[in-house]
């Protein structure tokens, strides 16, 4: 396992009549995920968890009383992926905290539960398979629907660089001044101050032309000075993957 990555365990479980058991994934002295089984016929159980150890996270059966029997079969484990449905297929690995208390998914802008990612701003992210820089040298657009719980803390939205200041790449993020900022190779351009609102969904976009001309949009409206200049896009050379969150 890779520490920090999200995984899914599926199995079939049943118990003898009158029994109730817990199927538990355990690691680093904490329960990572659990499910209660009471069915006497084989039932599919699915448990998602974040790996806390490379080899020592494990599944066990708990809450068993005298005379209770558990039947477990067909255990499978897979990495959870965030699918890129475009022809580019730059699928992402999901990294999250190691407890079930901090949710990985949340309600999206349409009110659909578990259809958006919930990042904690520390160690939760989607790391895509896109490592090439070629497409960014001729200009690019980054867009996202975001619902920040704070607009006064520096937090990345999309990053592909060697540090938070866009070394050898870029970092599109929320700044502590309640606005958007784009770092390219350490040079930054910003949207209008006080342009973001906390705790509501808003569509944020930054466009960069091949000449390095940059514009920001919030909910479709130009935000900040138009046609700002950045450093040369040829400076985007990092081997790090494009990462969301």
């Amino acid at each position: 396992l890779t520490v920090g990555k999200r995984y899914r365990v599926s199995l079939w479980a049943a118990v003898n009549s009158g029994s109730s058991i817990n199927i538990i994934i355990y690691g680093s002295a904490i329960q990572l995920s659990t499910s209660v089984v009471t069915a006497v016929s084989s039932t599919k159980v699915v448990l998602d968890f974040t790996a806390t150890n490379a080899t020592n996270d494990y599944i066990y059966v708990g809450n068993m009383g005298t005379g209770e029997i558990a039947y477990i079969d067909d255990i499978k484990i897979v990495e959870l992926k965030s699918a890129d449905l475009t022809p580019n297929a730059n699928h992402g690995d999901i990294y999250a905290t190691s407890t079930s208390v901090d949710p990985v998914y949340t309600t999206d802008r349409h009110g659909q539960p578990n259809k958006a990612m919930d990042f904690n701003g520390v160690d939760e992210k989607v790391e895509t398979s896109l490592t090439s820089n070629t497409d960014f040298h001729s200009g690019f657009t980054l867009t996202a629907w975001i619902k920040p719980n704070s607009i006064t803390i520096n937090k990345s939205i999309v990053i592909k660089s060697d540090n938070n200041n866009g070394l050898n790449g870029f970092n599109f993020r929320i700044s502590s001044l309640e606005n958007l900022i784009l770092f390219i190779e350490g040079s930054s351009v910003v949207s209008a101050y006080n342009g973001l609102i906390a705790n509501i969904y808003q569509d944020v976009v930054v466009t960069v032309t091949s000449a390095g001309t940059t514009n920001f949009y919030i909910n479709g409206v130009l935000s900040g000075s138009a046609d700002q200049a950045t450093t040369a896009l040829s400076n985007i050379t990092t081997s790090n993957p494009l990462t969301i969150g």
Side-chain angles (χ1 to χ4, degrees):
L1 303 179
T2 300
V3 174
K5 270 191 181 181
R6 292 288 290 179
Y7 291 88
R8 173 165 291 171
V9 170
S10 62
L11 55 87
W12 291 86
V15 295
N16 58 329
S17 180
S19 297
S20 176
I21 65 167
N22 294 338
I23 307 294
I24 301 170
I25 299 178
Y26 199 82
S28 295
I30 56 174
Q31 291 186 15
L32 305 178
S33 189
T34 184
S35 180
V36 178
V37 177
T38 59
V40 295
S41 58
S42 192
T43 302
K44 188 172 185 179
V45 175
V46 177
L47 297 167
D48 293 347
F49 73 101
T50 300
T52 61
N53 297 279
T55 59
N56 291 324
D57 288 347
Y58 56 92
I59 304 169
Y60 77 97
V61 177
N63 194 38
M64 291 188 68
T66 302
E68 292 188 319
I69 302 172
Y71 305 93
I72 310 295
D73 190 23
D74 196 21
I75 300 175
K76 297 177 181 177
I77 182 170
V78 296
E79 291 183 0
L80 281 178
K81 297 282 188 179
S82 180
D84 176 7
L85 300 182
T86 73
N88 299 310
N90 291 309
H91 308 304
D93 292 322
I94 301 173
Y95 289 80
T97 56
S98 59
T99 69
S100 58
V101 176
D102 187 11
V104 177
Y105 304 105
T106 188
T107 302
D108 70 9
R109 68 185 190 276
H110 301 298
Q112 301 179 98
N114 300 319
K115 294 296 184 180
M117 301 296 298
D118 185 358
F119 301 112
N120 64 5
V122 181
D123 52 7
E124 296 184 338
K125 61 186 177 180
V126 174
E127 189 175 279
T128 76
S129 58
L130 178 60
T131 56
S132 171
N133 298 304
T134 304
D135 291 339
F136 300 107
H137 292 163
S138 57
F140 57 89
T141 296
L142 303 174
T143 179
W145 281 91
I146 63 171
K147 184 184 177 183
N149 63 357
S150 173
I151 51 176
T152 59
I153 301 174
N154 296 325
K155 295 299 179 184
S156 295
I157 302 170
V158 180
I159 182 172
K160 190 182 192 302
S161 71
D162 293 335
N163 67 14
N164 287 332
N165 292 326
L167 178 66
N168 299 323
F170 58 84
N171 185 6
F172 180 37
R173 76 184 196 192
I174 298 171
S175 86
S176 58
L177 299 175
E178 303 181 10
N179 65 331
L180 300 170
I181 187 168
L182 176 69
F183 283 94
I184 298 182
E185 183 51 29
S187 176
S188 65
V189 289
V190 298
S191 72
Y193 295 109
N194 305 315
L196 296 174
I197 302 174
N199 297 311
I200 68 166
Y201 275 107
Q202 51 224 288
D203 180 22
V204 296
V205 179
V206 61
T207 63
V208 185
T209 69
S210 58
T213 304
T214 302
N215 287 298
F216 295 90
Y217 299 86
I218 299 177
N219 294 325
V221 179
L222 183 67
S223 178
S225 302
D227 299 336
Q228 301 176 78
T230 66
T231 56
L233 298 184
S234 59
N235 291 329
I236 300 175
T237 57
T238 181
S239 59
N240 286 332
L242 182 79
T243 300
I244 303 167

